[in-house]
Amino acid sequence: MTARQDALVGAAEFILEVNRLCRSTENLVGTIGTIVAEPNSINVIPETVRLGLEIRAPNRATRFAARREICELAERIARNRGLQLEFELKYERDGIECAPRLIEALSMAIERCGYEPVHLSSGAGHDGLAMGSLCDVGMLFVRCRNGLSHNPAEAVAEQDLEAAAAVLLDFLTNFRSNSSVPIGRSI
């Protein structure tokens, strides 16, 4: 066992370290959603592991500092285990902030419908990243059973859909009349 260079054991250590870092850093979220071990046979020591890591944070400095620390962690683990390491940055994009006037208008619609608004930093880009250069962005989230979203088991209760539809209708009905600023932005 001491002579092995097991890439999957190194990857497992790395995954735990990423989890530790994200749990100990305010507003940092990390997800390792893909992992491939090769040759992927039950009785063969994995010689190659590829994994996909996404990190999110509301601000760039936190994300960059986390990326630097994650790279250092991976290098240390690889060195200690006699493994080779390669990084490939596939995608990076700064987040966008929702428009305060949309947050306020959505909050008011939520209250008028008898609910209490909950503001959260989602880190989710959704279409907001694509639309942010064209217009103001706001998001209304609907809770999913057991917190599962982007998952085949995702499910939403009918009463939550009804509440979201009522809030959206109230928002659309009242937004224009309460705002002197047009919805779109010129580019």
Side-chain angles (χ1 to χ4, degrees):
M1 290 298 289
T2 58
R4 289 185 175 191
Q5 291 176 299
D6 189 326
L8 187 55
V9 172
E13 183 179 351
F14 174 74
I15 291 167
L16 290 171
E17 287 296 319
V18 168
N19 185 64
R20 180 201 54 75
L21 175 65
C22 292
R23 288 179 177 270
S24 66
T25 305
E26 187 176 352
N27 294 321
L28 180 65
V29 176
T31 303
I32 295 174
T34 60
I35 185 166
V36 177
E38 294 175 346
N40 197 29
S41 179
I42 196 165
N43 62 349
V44 178
I45 299 165
E47 67 180 46
T48 302
V49 173
R50 284 187 297 282
L51 53 84
L53 165 64
E54 180 190 47
I55 54 173
R56 295 181 184 181
N59 68 59
R60 172 185 272 205
T62 300
R63 195 175 66 250
F64 281 14
R67 183 186 335 141
R68 189 172 40 257
E69 187 167 347
I70 286 168
C71 289
E72 290 169 2
L73 286 167
E75 289 167 350
R76 178 183 49 79
I77 291 167
R79 187 174 49 255
N80 290 346
R81 294 188 171 276
L83 301 170
Q84 293 180 335
L85 177 67
E86 292 179 28
F87 292 105
E88 181 180 353
L89 181 62
K90 294 218 176 195
Y91 176 83
E92 182 167 58
R93 179 90 189 255
D94 285 337
I96 63 167
E97 291 189 26
C98 291
R101 68 191 188 101
L102 295 180
I103 294 170
E104 181 182 352
L106 278 168
S107 295
M108 290 169 54
I110 291 167
E111 288 174 354
R112 284 191 297 269
C113 289
Y115 305 102
E116 186 174 332
V118 175
H119 297 177
L120 56 98
S121 174
S122 77
H126 297 100
D127 295 328
L129 290 172
M131 297 301 295
S133 63
L134 300 174
C135 60
D136 286 343
V137 174
M139 292 189 201
L140 175 65
F141 287 94
V142 179
R143 64 184 169 186
C144 297
R145 183 179 62 219
N146 298 323
L148 283 175
S149 65
H150 302 93
N151 182 297
E154 180 176 351
V156 179
E158 189 173 321
Q159 64 266 24
D160 289 341
L161 290 174
E162 290 171 359
V167 167
L168 187 57
L169 178 61
D170 182 280
F171 168 79
L172 292 171
T173 302
N174 292 291
F175 184 69
R176 281 292 223 168
S177 62
N178 292 337
S179 175
S180 61
V181 181
I183 292 176
R185 269 189 279 197
S186 59
I187 53 173

